């Protein structure tokens, strides 16, 4: 398998950082080629997520991977961040050395479009934060859809939510942007909470990571405390590496199972804002199947692969 060219758009928070580390490890194995990374507001302010993404690729020994700045607020609603999961700094208090790489000034949407055209339609877009940058790119460059092979998101949920009972965080933060992505016409893989909460890391697996001294394992150890306390809620200590799912899907699709579905986003609801309304289990369908909704995965194999990747970086 030749390396797949990908672009990762991220609101670098804790699980984003883990996903970036995994992607860089896959690049080292020549299974992925990270063409570019772009930062978006979400888990934290964009200025913070931009620095976090730069510092993570630097920590992984790849300060040469370009990180581009992106949107500082959602398209129509006000930004509401997630310090309750990721801490005020977005990385759960983990202290990373500052990258010395030159700061890119080309905006995310311009750089994404440029690179998508250069890759002649082979670029795969991975969205692991609110989808504001992607939406702006589609607005500014309507033919971007002709130059993306597919879009893989961590976002949404066919059933339930986490930021509200009806909506997953990435979609809730910017529902208008997400709607534009779901309506883009580009083939879309939706790794929502339906699958990301089924590939949790268990205590033994987290111990294995924490007993390793690689940069990625140290980052996992230092950054996940807030999230693990919240996810565990007094029960079993688990960690959901949500954003890793679309990254591993690119290289190991056989780990996952899903259903072609119609999915559209509630943009006007109050208690249902950001719901990804999904038709795979309804009698009457939307009449279009615009997303493959991932519902299951081989949890043990997912964890084994992720642990090996984190140990290698
Ligand atoms: O709901 C989980 C998603 O929201 C992840 O991408 C996490 O990083 C946060 O952005
Ligand atoms: Ca994220």
């Amino acid at each position: 398998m030749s390396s797949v060219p990908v672009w990762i758009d991220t609101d670098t928070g804790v699980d984003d950082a883990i996903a970036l580390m995994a992607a860089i490890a896959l690049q080292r194995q020549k299974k992925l080629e990270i063409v570019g990374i772009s930062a978006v507001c979400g888990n934290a302010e964009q200025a913070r997520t931009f620095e976090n993404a730069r510092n993570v690729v630097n920590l992984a020994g790849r300060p040469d991977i370009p990180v581009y700045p992106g949107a500082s607020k959602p398209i129509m609603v006000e930004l509401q961040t997630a310090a309750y999961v990721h801490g005020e700094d977005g990385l759960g208090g983990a202290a990373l050395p500052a990258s010395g790489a030159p700061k890119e000034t080309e905006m995310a949407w311009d750089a994404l479009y440029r690179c998508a055209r250069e890759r002649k339609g082979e670029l795969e877009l991975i969205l692991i934060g609110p989808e504001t940058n992607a939406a702006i790119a589609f607005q500014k460059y309507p033919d971007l859809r002709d130059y993306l092979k597919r879009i893989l998101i961590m976002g949404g949920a066919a059933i339930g939510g986490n930021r509200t009972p009806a909506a997953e965080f990435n979609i809730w933060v910017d529902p208008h942007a997400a709607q534009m992505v779901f309506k883009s016409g580009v083939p879309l893989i939706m790794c929502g909470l339906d699958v990301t909460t089924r590939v949790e890391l268990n205590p033994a697996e987290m111990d294995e990571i924490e007993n390793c001294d690689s940069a990625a394992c140290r980052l996992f150890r230092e950054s996940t405390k807030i999230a693990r306390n919240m996810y565990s809620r007094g029960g079993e200590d688990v960690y959901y590496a949500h954003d890793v799912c679309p990254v591993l899907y690119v290289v190991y699709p056989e780990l996952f199972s899903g259903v072609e579905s119609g999915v559209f986003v509630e943009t006007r609801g109050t208690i249902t804002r950001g719901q990804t309304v999904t038709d795979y289990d309804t009698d009457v369908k939307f009449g279009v199947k615009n997303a493959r909704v991932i519902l299951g995965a081989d949890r043990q194999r997912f964890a084994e692969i992720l642990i090996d990747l984190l140990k290698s970086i």
Side-chain angles (χ1 to χ4, degrees), residues 21-140:
M21 285 287 193
I24 293 170
L26 288 168
Q27 174 159 296
R28 188 176 288 181
Q29 296 177 7
K30 300 193 185 323
K31 293 173 181 169
L32 282 186
E33 178 197 357
I34 304 171
V35 173
I37 293 171
S38 48
V40 68
C41 58
N43 288 326
E45 304 281 345
Q46 190 275 160
R48 184 69 259 157
T49 64
F50 178 57
E51 285 306 321
N52 287 347
R54 285 168 40 86
N55 295 343
V56 167
V57 298
N58 180 60
L59 184 69
R62 291 303 307 268
D64 57 304
I65 295 176
V67 177
Y68 298 92
S72 298
K73 74 171 293 293
I75 285 180
M76 293 181 69
V77 297
E78 288 309 306
L79 174 63
Q80 296 188 56
T81 57
Y84 58 93
V85 181
H86 301 269
E88 290 300 333
D89 67 347
L91 288 180
L96 276 61
S99 169
K103 286 192 179 181
E104 299 291 346
T105 55
E106 185 178 11
M107 294 309 290
W109 37 88
D110 297 325
L112 169 60
Y113 181 64
R114 171 175 57 80
C115 292
R117 286 183 60 119
E118 288 168 0
R119 294 309 175 116
K120 299 180 171 45
E122 288 307 306
L123 188 66
E124 302 195 13
L125 176 58
I126 300 174
L127 304 176
I128 55 175
E131 302 175 3
T132 314
N133 289 341
I136 293 171
F138 281 121
Q139 281 179 314
K140 189 171 180 182

Side-chain angles (χ1 to χ4, degrees), residues 180-195:
M180 292 169 67
V181 171
F182 276 96
K183 288 186 171 180
S184 69
V186 179
L188 192 147
I189 305 291
M190 174 177 139
C191 297
L193 298 175
D194 317 281
V195 64

Side-chain angles (χ1 to χ4, degrees), residues 145-291:
R145 68 173 52 95
D146 301 329
Y147 297 103
L148 291 175
K149 186 168 186 180
R150 66 178 173 176
I151 298 171
L152 303 99
I153 74 170
M154 189 282 132
I159 297 171
N162 56 4
R163 179 58 182 79
T164 74
E168 178 278 326
F169 178 81
N170 288 336
I171 310 300
W172 183 89
V173 167
D174 195 342
H176 302 90
Q179 182 78 302
M180 292 169 67
V181 171
F182 276 96
K183 288 186 171 180
S184 69
V186 179
L188 192 147
I189 305 291
M190 174 177 139
C191 297
L193 298 175
D194 317 281
V195 64
T196 68
T197 58
R198 288 187 168 85
V199 286
E200 78 282 358
L201 294 179
N202 65 35
E205 290 155 349
M206 290 191 282
D207 285 346
E208 185 176 353
I209 294 172
E210 300 200 335
N211 290 330
C212 169
D213 201 36
S214 72
C217 289
R218 289 200 308 274
L219 178 61
F220 181 96
R221 183 167 62 238
E222 293 165 11
S223 65
T224 56
K225 296 181 182 64
I226 300 173
R228 284 170 61 173
N229 286 336
M230 194 188 80
Y231 293 152
S232 305
R233 291 192 180 95
E236 187 192 22
D237 182 13
V238 296
Y239 182 73
Y240 300 121
H242 300 284
D243 290 340
V244 170
C245 281
V247 171
L248 290 200
Y249 190 99
V250 173
V251 178
Y252 302 102
E254 70 279 5
L255 293 182
F256 301 89
S257 57
V259 183
E260 300 300 327
S261 307
V263 184
F264 293 98
V265 180
E266 177 53 68
T267 59
R268 288 178 291 183
T270 48
I271 59 173
T272 56
R273 157 185 161 172
Q275 183 176 11
T276 45
V277 183
T278 306
D279 74 352
Y280 73 81
D281 203 19
T282 55
D283 300 333
V284 179
K285 311 290 185 183
F286 280 129
V288 60
K289 295 188 182 303
N290 57 331

